Amino acid sequence: MTHGSYASVNGIELYYEIHGAEHDGPPLIMLHGGVLTFHLSFDPLLPGLTADRKVIGVELQGHGHTAAAADRPFSIRQCAEDVIALLDHLGLDQADLLGYSLGGLTATEVAVLAPDRVRRVVLAATHFRPDAYYPEITAPEQDSPRLPTEADFAAMKTAYDEVAPNPDDFFPFLERIQPAVHDFEPWTAEQLGRLTMPVLIIIGDTDFIRLEHAVEMKQTLPNAQLAILPGTPHMRVVSDPELVLPMIKPFLA
């Protein structure tokens, strides 16, 4: 079963899709990367994840089908509050979360704000502090294998144009979300220490995120596992089902 719907939450119409089959456990909420859509982020993983569980794909404010909402601030906190409101809208007491990049930041904030609503978390290509990025990520005029390619940007723009209510918002919104990802207020060690649910951290060995920060994330969270994918830049961390599904599926099970 697959269908797309909108939920009126916190002053916006938040788009979500439901995939997969009913099962006894909580559904998996999947949160995409920045300026990506749900499908562009996760299509390679969907067949493996939906075979035996319900998956709910969300498109955050300004992403995909969900309008940019110029009159409402964009922040990680606001995105997390929207996801919690969606759980309320759907009558879900608890869910698993899989967040990629911006989606991982959002998933972390959901777990901080409402830990009782979160059973397990997968954080893919994400970080806990702005200084976790390699220097070239915030100075993209440099040439680096860590950065998105021209083909990556073209795919992002095409996916946005296909479904966005206002395709002309792409470049303005791209500028608008940069502070939310690069300059957010970091979580404290105390906040992170209270996240006792199991957390699986996955980063690429050529990710935006410094490897030592990923190790610090693993050491800060009380119940965390860490996987570093070989030969993998940021934009490919969730694109190889043969590499990541054997980690994600047993963890969520």
Side-chain angles (χ1 to χ4, degrees):
M1 179 189 74
T2 303
H3 69 267
S5 303
Y6 290 88
S8 298
V9 301
N10 301 328
I12 66 168
E13 295 299 310
L14 185 72
Y15 179 82
Y16 66 96
E17 293 182 7
I18 298 178
H19 296 255
E22 295 291 341
H23 76 125
D24 293 337
L28 174 64
I29 308 292
M30 300 183 73
L31 302 170
H32 56 77
V35 205
L36 302 176
T37 63
F38 164 60
H39 283 286
L40 185 58
S41 290
F42 295 123
D43 265 358
L45 303 186
L46 279 182
L49 292 174
T50 59
D52 53 7
R53 70 178 303 152
K54 181 184 288 186
V55 168
I56 301 172
V58 179
E59 292 187 331
L60 301 169
Q61 176 185 346
H63 291 80
H65 296 76
T66 302
D71 59 343
R72 197 185 81 148
F74 183 88
S75 67
I76 295 164
R77 175 68 175 262
Q78 186 63 70
C79 289
E81 290 178 349
D82 293 344
V83 172
I84 295 168
L86 178 63
L87 294 179
D88 294 339
H89 173 82
L90 296 174
L92 297 172
D93 293 330
Q94 197 174 56
D96 292 335
L97 302 178
L98 193 167
Y100 165 53
S101 196
L102 169 66
L105 299 174
T106 302
T108 302
E109 182 72 353
V110 171
V112 168
L113 294 176
D116 58 317
R117 309 293 295 273
V118 180
R119 189 185 72 112
R120 287 174 176 257
V121 186
V122 179
L123 300 178
T126 194
H127 58 300
F128 287 166
R129 294 195 316 272
D131 66 359
Y133 277 169
Y134 287 96
E136 63 264 37
I137 306 308
T138 51
E141 66 276 5
Q142 300 182 42
D143 184 25
S144 170
R146 302 183 190 283
L147 293 170
T149 64
E150 289 185 11
D152 291 329
F153 276 115
M156 292 159 65
K157 182 67 166 63
T158 298
Y160 189 89
D161 289 348
E162 287 175 350
V163 300
N166 301 296
D168 290 343
D169 287 340
F170 179 82
F171 289 107
F173 187 70
L174 179 61
E175 293 296 319
R176 185 178 170 197
I177 72 165
Q178 295 304 313
V181 177
H182 296 311
D183 303 318
F184 65 92
E185 183 72 24
W187 295 281
T188 67
E190 181 182 1
Q191 286 175 309
L192 297 171
R194 292 198 295 264
L195 303 185
T196 58
M197 74 286 291
V199 179
L200 173 61
I201 303 160
I202 305 175
I203 72 161
D205 63 354
T206 316
D207 212 317
F208 290 0
I209 297 133
R210 292 182 290 108
L211 296 179
E212 59 267 32
H213 179 73
V215 173
E216 183 183 339
M217 290 169 64
K218 198 267 184 202
Q219 292 171 333
T220 301
L221 294 168
N223 191 8
Q225 304 172 33
L226 172 62
I228 299 175
L229 307 182
T232 304
H234 184 84
M235 299 301 293
R236 304 286 176 264
V237 171
V238 290
S239 67
D240 186 344
E242 293 185 1
L243 196 59
V244 297
L245 282 179
M247 302 177 189
I248 292 173
K249 292 194 69 169
F251 173 77
L252 293 175

